[in-house]
Amino acid sequence: MKTTKIYMAMIAIAMVPFTMTSCGDPWYYDDPYYHDHYGPGYDDYGPGYNDNRYDEPYYDNNADMLAEAQCLRGHWQGTMVDEFTNDKGQRQQVQYDADIEFDQYNSNSLSGRGREIDVAGSESQELVFTWFVDAQTGNIHIKYDGGSIVVIDANSKDLGFYLDDNQFYGYMVGQNIDDVIYFDLARYTYAKESDFSAVAKAKANPQTVTSTKAIAGVQADRQTIDLTNIPVGLPKRK
């Protein structure tokens, strides 16, 4: 029997049902962990905008981190839910289909460029970004060409992620924007099948219920949220 090798921050399934609301403060917004962990000094690079790891090949001898970067490389598609503060000062959510490509600068780099195509009904947008995997933490840092920065946290107990050769889901948390983005993606092309050397421990615990939207390549234990009452629309993130 083929053994699936699991990488990075597998999200433990919570048994309590959860529905994301379209207005008012979200469940995480007043959580001290959210503000303390993602404050301006969350790592040695401050807010991270001028971090040169985004813009050139970034190397480290950590084989596990290289395996993570190599696993990211390729094309993913699925659903994203973006929660942000709208022009009226209220928290708002939109859902949309996404097609995301990660590419390394070279096969040994922990960094690279990428492209995200968002589709909501007849509307679409293309966002280009740079990214890197932090060799010390395993966090995935993404900086969009429009200036928005998000982090996918490998060590978060609440807003973590899961990644293997077939599926990638969890949360992106804004660093210079207040967006929190849930994503649920399945790979549809391989750049190169990854070679994992370790099994990651689960540290995240998102609230989940069954989705009404099927996603290609979904597995029985894939994390999903209820999309029924979330309007379709494009995010403001640039």
Side-chain angles (χ1 to χ4, degrees), residues 9 18 35 74 87 89 145 152-153 220 224 227-228:
F18 170 74
H35 295 285
D87 295 337
D145 283 6
I152 307 175
D153 193 334
T224 55
L227 304 175
T228 306

mmCIF file of all heavy atoms in Angstrom, residues 9 18 35 74 87 89 145 152-153 220 224 227-228:
data_model
loop_
_atom_site.group_PDB
_atom_site.id
_atom_site.type_symbol
_atom_site.label_atom_id
_atom_site.label_comp_id
_atom_site.label_asym_id
_atom_site.label_seq_id
_atom_site.Cartn_x
_atom_site.Cartn_y
_atom_site.Cartn_z
ATOM 1 N N ALA A 9 2.298 21.204 9.331
ATOM 2 C CA ALA A 9 1.148 21.784 10.025
ATOM 3 C C ALA A 9 -0.195 21.224 9.618
ATOM 4 O O ALA A 9 -1.069 21.920 9.173
ATOM 5 C CB ALA A 9 1.140 23.294 9.839
ATOM 6 N N PHE A 18 -19.165 25.234 12.588
ATOM 7 C CA PHE A 18 -18.825 26.647 12.502
ATOM 8 C C PHE A 18 -19.335 27.222 11.201
ATOM 9 O O PHE A 18 -19.209 26.614 10.166
ATOM 10 C CB PHE A 18 -17.304 26.813 12.577
ATOM 11 C CG PHE A 18 -16.830 28.203 12.252
ATOM 12 C CD1 PHE A 18 -17.002 29.233 13.148
ATOM 13 C CD2 PHE A 18 -16.219 28.465 11.037
ATOM 14 C CE1 PHE A 18 -16.572 30.505 12.846
ATOM 15 C CE2 PHE A 18 -15.771 29.736 10.724
ATOM 16 C CZ PHE A 18 -15.943 30.759 11.632
ATOM 17 N N HIS A 35 -3.452 39.056 17.279
ATOM 18 C CA HIS A 35 -2.765 40.344 17.292
ATOM 19 C C HIS A 35 -1.335 40.216 17.804
ATOM 20 O O HIS A 35 -0.424 40.848 17.277
ATOM 21 C CB HIS A 35 -3.548 41.337 18.141
ATOM 22 C CG HIS A 35 -4.883 41.667 17.562
ATOM 23 N ND1 HIS A 35 -5.037 42.501 16.479
ATOM 24 C CD2 HIS A 35 -6.130 41.234 17.875
ATOM 25 C CE1 HIS A 35 -6.312 42.600 16.164
ATOM 26 N NE2 HIS A 35 -6.998 41.850 16.989
ATOM 27 N N GLY A 74 4.142 24.141 -8.566
ATOM 28 C CA GLY A 74 3.128 23.521 -9.402
ATOM 29 C C GLY A 74 1.860 24.343 -9.420
ATOM 30 O O GLY A 74 1.837 25.511 -9.011
ATOM 31 N N ASP A 87 -15.397 49.232 3.052
ATOM 32 C CA ASP A 87 -15.322 50.690 3.119
ATOM 33 C C ASP A 87 -16.203 51.281 4.218
ATOM 34 O O ASP A 87 -16.022 52.438 4.606
ATOM 35 C CB ASP A 87 -15.716 51.298 1.769
ATOM 36 C CG ASP A 87 -14.728 50.946 0.665
ATOM 37 O OD1 ASP A 87 -13.558 50.637 1.007
ATOM 38 O OD2 ASP A 87 -15.122 50.971 -0.516
ATOM 39 N N GLY A 89 -16.297 49.968 7.197
ATOM 40 C CA GLY A 89 -15.687 49.580 8.466
ATOM 41 C C GLY A 89 -16.208 48.278 9.022
ATOM 42 O O GLY A 89 -15.946 47.957 10.188
ATOM 43 N N ASP A 145 2.490 41.662 -5.964
ATOM 44 C CA ASP A 145 3.121 42.795 -6.632
ATOM 45 C C ASP A 145 2.413 44.107 -6.329
ATOM 46 O O ASP A 145 3.003 45.185 -6.440
ATOM 47 C CB ASP A 145 3.175 42.569 -8.147
ATOM 48 C CG ASP A 145 4.280 41.590 -8.541
ATOM 49 O OD1 ASP A 145 4.921 41.012 -7.637
ATOM 50 O OD2 ASP A 145 4.497 41.396 -9.760
ATOM 51 N N ILE A 152 1.382 32.258 5.645
ATOM 52 C CA ILE A 152 0.730 30.977 5.919
ATOM 53 C C ILE A 152 1.574 30.306 6.996
ATOM 54 O O ILE A 152 2.704 29.895 6.748
ATOM 55 C CB ILE A 152 0.638 30.113 4.648
ATOM 56 C CG1 ILE A 152 -0.015 30.914 3.517
ATOM 57 C CG2 ILE A 152 -0.145 28.839 4.920
ATOM 58 C CD1 ILE A 152 -0.039 30.177 2.183
ATOM 59 N N ASP A 153 1.043 30.222 8.201
ATOM 60 C CA ASP A 153 1.813 29.919 9.399
ATOM 61 C C ASP A 153 1.878 28.418 9.677
ATOM 62 O O ASP A 153 0.858 27.775 9.902
ATOM 63 C CB ASP A 153 1.192 30.657 10.582
ATOM 64 C CG ASP A 153 2.079 30.677 11.814
ATOM 65 O OD1 ASP A 153 2.909 29.775 11.974
ATOM 66 O OD2 ASP A 153 1.934 31.606 12.627
ATOM 67 N N ALA A 220 -11.430 12.415 1.650
ATOM 68 C CA ALA A 220 -12.508 12.299 2.629
ATOM 69 C C ALA A 220 -12.303 13.199 3.841
ATOM 70 O O ALA A 220 -13.254 13.700 4.416
ATOM 71 C CB ALA A 220 -12.630 10.847 3.079
ATOM 72 N N THR A 224 -13.014 21.770 5.013
ATOM 73 C CA THR A 224 -13.879 22.657 4.245
ATOM 74 C C THR A 224 -14.708 23.515 5.196
ATOM 75 O O THR A 224 -14.811 23.224 6.382
ATOM 76 C CB THR A 224 -14.829 21.871 3.330
ATOM 77 O OG1 THR A 224 -15.572 20.931 4.126
ATOM 78 C CG2 THR A 224 -14.053 21.122 2.257
ATOM 79 N N LEU A 227 -20.057 27.212 2.631
ATOM 80 C CA LEU A 227 -20.049 28.343 1.709
ATOM 81 C C LEU A 227 -21.451 28.861 1.388
ATOM 82 O O LEU A 227 -21.581 29.823 0.624
ATOM 83 C CB LEU A 227 -19.360 27.926 0.404
ATOM 84 C CG LEU A 227 -17.940 27.373 0.535
ATOM 85 C CD1 LEU A 227 -17.442 26.885 -0.818
ATOM 86 C CD2 LEU A 227 -17.004 28.416 1.111
ATOM 87 N N THR A 228 -22.468 28.267 1.962
ATOM 88 C CA THR A 228 -23.845 28.536 1.551
ATOM 89 C C THR A 228 -24.208 30.015 1.611
ATOM 90 O O THR A 228 -24.829 30.555 0.690
ATOM 91 C CB THR A 228 -24.826 27.730 2.425
ATOM 92 O OG1 THR A 228 -24.472 26.347 2.381
ATOM 93 C CG2 THR A 228 -26.249 27.919 1.943
#
